[in-house]
């Protein structure tokens, strides 16, 4: 068997299939992520014609030529679904040539792209000054060593099995979220609505002893995440401390991001966040998990974005946030929802863990396929 070396240009071809008949609309628009996935677009589509957009069929690829400020990674997507989507024609679309489909599996190629090694190659071979690009010709110049197709398919099958497991957790998580959101909507109609300030108290507890060293941020997924900010140790003394059961909100860029990054400290350990964040203690008459669920609703995120100010940062004032309403049911209903939310969070964590494993698995599978072919 053995390995055979190719340039990608011998195996792939561009796709120029455009949405000229407008068969696809705004709901079919997708973007690409630097983790090599399709994502809902963040662009304002209200004034854009969708006619030039590329139609990407199952088994086809699309990538963003711009590599500047993209996390040192190439934004790319592989349509592994059973239907077509549309992507901006600013991207480059391509597929495996029909004549090469006995040589190269599209899914194997996707695993090849998902490796950190490939992103490092892209970064080195990007061109430009203020804006850097990795163009079609650069993609065609990429060298790839291929094992026989049956060996590729063997390792693709391993990837598919783990991917199917991850997708199963994703679907279960989304089903739970639908139940939670529907229940909260019914509560909104049935219960008295009070302002958030009725239940939230601002806490300004600083890291004055310097005990905590690791900074966290919060994201639109409503979770804490390690911060990449470089902060002098002396400056950490002014950072805020979030204790168990307290909420932290990032009020900056809420207009730009379309929602409120907020998280609840479920752990028994204190969390250190930016001094610009809001930190709230939740009144004993309401469960902190319930408040987080309420603030995680899409309707709340839309209100947050709407009420954000017009400054460069486009943030939301604390008073504006606290003036938002919340409908509070009985403690029994709150506990029932909190239990559902706990299951939802566990599924979310498992799905994220499997997603991370998939990313780390790709280089292992590629190496395994190459080693097996080399030994044959």
């Amino acid at each position: 068997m053995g390995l055979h070396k190719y340039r990608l240009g011998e195996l792939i071809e561009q796709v120029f299939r455009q949405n000229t008949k407008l068969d696809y609309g705004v709901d079919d628009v997708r973007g690409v992520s630097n983790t090599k996935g399709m994502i809902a677009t963040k662009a304002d589509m209200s004034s854009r014609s969708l006619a030039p957009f590329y139609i990407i069929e199952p088994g086809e690829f699309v990538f963003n030529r711009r590599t500047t400020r993209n996390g040192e990674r190439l934004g790319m997507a592989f349509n592994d679904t059973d239907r077509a989507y549309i992507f901006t024609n600013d991207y480059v679309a391509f597929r495996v040539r029909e004549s090469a489909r006995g040589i190269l599996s599209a899914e194997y190629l996707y695993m090849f792209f998902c490796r950190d090694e490939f992103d490092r190659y892209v970064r080195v071979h990007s061109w430009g000054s203020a804006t850097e690009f990795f163009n079609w010709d650069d993609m065609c110049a990429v060298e790839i060593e291929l094992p026989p197709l049956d060996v590729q398919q063997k390792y693709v099958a391993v990837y598919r099995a783990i991917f199917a497991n991850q997708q199963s957790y994703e679907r279960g998580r989304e089903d739970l979220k639908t139940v939670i959101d529907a229940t909260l909507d019914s509560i909104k109609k049935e219960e008295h609505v009070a302002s958030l300030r009725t239940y939230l108290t601002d806490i300004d507890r600083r890291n004055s002893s310097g005990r905590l060293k690791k900074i966290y941020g919060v994201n639109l997924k409503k979770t804490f995440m390690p911060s990449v900010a470089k902060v002098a140790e002396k400056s950490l003394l002014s950072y805020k401390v979030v204790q168990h059961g307290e909420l932290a909100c990032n009020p900056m860029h809420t207009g730009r991001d379309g929602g409120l990054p907020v998280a609840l400290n479920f752990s028994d350990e204190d969390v250190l966040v930016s001094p610009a964040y809001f930190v709230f203690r939740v009144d004993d008459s309401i469960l902190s998990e319930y408040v987080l669920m309420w603030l995680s609703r899409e309707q709340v995120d839309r209100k947050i974005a709407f009420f954000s100010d017009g400054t460069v940062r486009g943030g939301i004032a604390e008073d504006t946030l606290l003036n938002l309403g919340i409908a509070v049911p009985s403690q029994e209903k709150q506990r029932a929802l909190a239990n559902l939310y706990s299951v939802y969070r566990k599924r979310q964590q498992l799905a994220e863990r499997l997603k991370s494993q998939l990313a780390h698995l790709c280089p292992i599978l590629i190496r395994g396929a190459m080693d097996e072919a080399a030994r044959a």
Side-chain angles (χ1 to χ4, degrees):
M1 294 192 294
L3 294 166
H4 298 276
K5 184 177 287 188
Y6 300 89
R7 290 189 183 273
L8 279 184
E10 301 173 65
L11 306 171
I12 61 177
E13 62 185 2
Q14 277 191 270
V15 171
F16 296 100
R17 187 190 309 110
Q18 293 185 299
N19 187 35
T20 51
K21 295 182 180 179
L22 297 177
D23 292 330
Y24 297 88
V26 173
D27 292 342
D28 303 305
V29 177
R30 293 294 184 270
V32 301
S33 72
N34 64 8
T35 55
K36 311 297 184 283
M38 286 194 296
I39 57 173
T41 183
K42 297 179 181 178
D44 180 6
M45 306 304 300
S46 58
S47 60
R48 292 192 66 177
S49 169
L50 299 182
F53 276 45
Y54 289 140
I55 300 171
I56 305 302
E57 298 283 357
E60 296 178 345
F61 298 82
V62 61
F63 71 90
N64 184 355
R65 298 183 305 118
R66 294 172 182 264
T67 58
T68 312
R69 300 186 301 278
N70 202 23
E72 305 293 308
R73 301 173 70 86
L74 182 71
M76 173 183 276
F78 172 59
N79 187 355
D80 57 0
T81 72
D82 58 1
R83 55 153 297 182
Y85 290 96
I86 56 174
F87 294 77
T88 174
N89 52 308
D90 293 332
Y91 292 170
V92 178
F94 67 95
R95 65 190 173 197
V96 176
R97 293 176 185 269
E98 189 171 352
S99 59
R101 291 176 190 175
I103 300 171
L104 173 62
S105 158
E107 290 167 302
Y108 185 86
L109 179 59
Y110 177 64
M111 291 197 302
F112 175 85
F113 289 141
C114 286
R115 300 170 308 134
D116 289 341
E117 183 180 345
F118 174 72
D119 280 313
R120 286 193 292 270
Y121 175 92
V122 169
R123 194 72 187 94
V124 170
H125 291 85
S126 294
W127 303 90
S129 52
T131 302
E132 294 186 349
F133 293 92
F134 186 77
N135 293 309
W136 171 245
D137 289 343
D138 302 312
M139 180 66 79
C140 288
V142 173
E143 293 184 346
I144 184 171
E145 284 189 293
L146 291 179
L149 188 63
D150 62 330
V151 176
Q152 295 176 43
Q153 290 169 337
K154 174 181 173 181
Y155 286 86
V156 165
V158 176
Y159 178 87
R160 278 180 179 168
I162 297 175
F163 180 75
N165 198 17
Q166 188 257 341
Q167 290 296 99
S168 175
Y169 276 107
E170 288 280 3
R171 286 191 296 271
R173 183 190 69 172
E174 288 307 309
D175 289 344
L176 282 170
K177 187 175 188 302
T178 299
V179 172
I180 291 170
D181 288 345
T183 306
L184 290 172
D185 280 341
S186 66
I187 288 170
K188 182 179 67 174
K189 298 171 185 176
E190 297 166 0
E191 304 291 343
H192 171 70
V193 177
S195 66
L196 280 169
R197 68 174 68 254
T198 307
Y199 303 102
L200 301 184
T201 302
D202 181 78
I203 301 296
D204 190 2
R205 183 189 305 107
R206 304 294 174 133
N207 185 38
S208 52
S209 67
R211 175 175 60 90
L212 300 176
K213 308 293 185 184
K214 190 173 182 179
I215 309 168
Y216 286 83
V218 295
N219 56 36
L220 289 171
K221 293 181 180 179
K222 317 302 181 189
T223 59
F224 285 103
M225 59 181 185
S227 174
V228 296
K230 303 294 183 184
V231 179
E233 188 167 338
K234 186 176 180 181
S235 298
L236 291 177
L237 303 179
S238 66
Y239 274 56
K240 291 183 178 180
V241 178
V242 187
Q243 294 185 343
H244 172 78
E246 293 178 346
L247 293 161
C249 306
N250 180 357
M252 299 173 285
H253 307 302
T254 53
R256 180 199 68 186
D257 295 337
L260 179 70
V262 58
L264 171 65
N265 186 2
F266 286 94
S267 75
D268 293 325
E269 297 182 358
D270 294 344
V271 173
L272 194 64
V273 298
S274 165
Y277 281 18
F278 304 149
V279 178
F280 298 112
R281 178 186 297 135
V282 180
D283 188 82
D284 291 339
S285 64
I286 187 172
L287 297 181
S288 52
E289 293 95 329
Y290 181 81
V291 178
L292 179 64
M293 282 187 285
W294 188 267
L295 292 176
S296 299
R297 298 163 62 240
E298 291 180 6
Q299 296 93 323
V300 172
D301 275 335
R302 286 197 292 269
K303 284 185 179 180
I304 293 289
F306 180 79
F307 287 119
S308 296
D309 60 44
T311 62
V312 173
R313 287 191 170 186
I316 190 164
E318 185 175 21
D319 278 347
T320 305
L321 173 61
L322 292 175
N323 281 337
L324 294 180
I326 182 171
V328 183
S330 66
Q331 286 275 341
E332 184 180 3
K333 282 187 178 179
Q334 290 182 50
R335 278 192 293 273
L337 275 170
N339 289 336
L340 273 180
Y341 192 67
S342 177
V343 176
Y344 169 79
R345 286 184 60 252
K346 287 176 182 176
R347 281 189 173 271
Q348 185 179 38
Q349 290 164 0
L350 282 169
E352 290 296 328
R353 196 175 306 149
L354 284 170
K355 195 172 183 178
S356 175
Q357 287 175 358
L358 278 171
H360 291 100
L361 187 64
C362 288
I364 297 171
L365 293 174
I366 294 290
R367 174 50 58 189
M370 292 174 65
D371 287 348
E372 181 173 330
R375 291 193 303 268

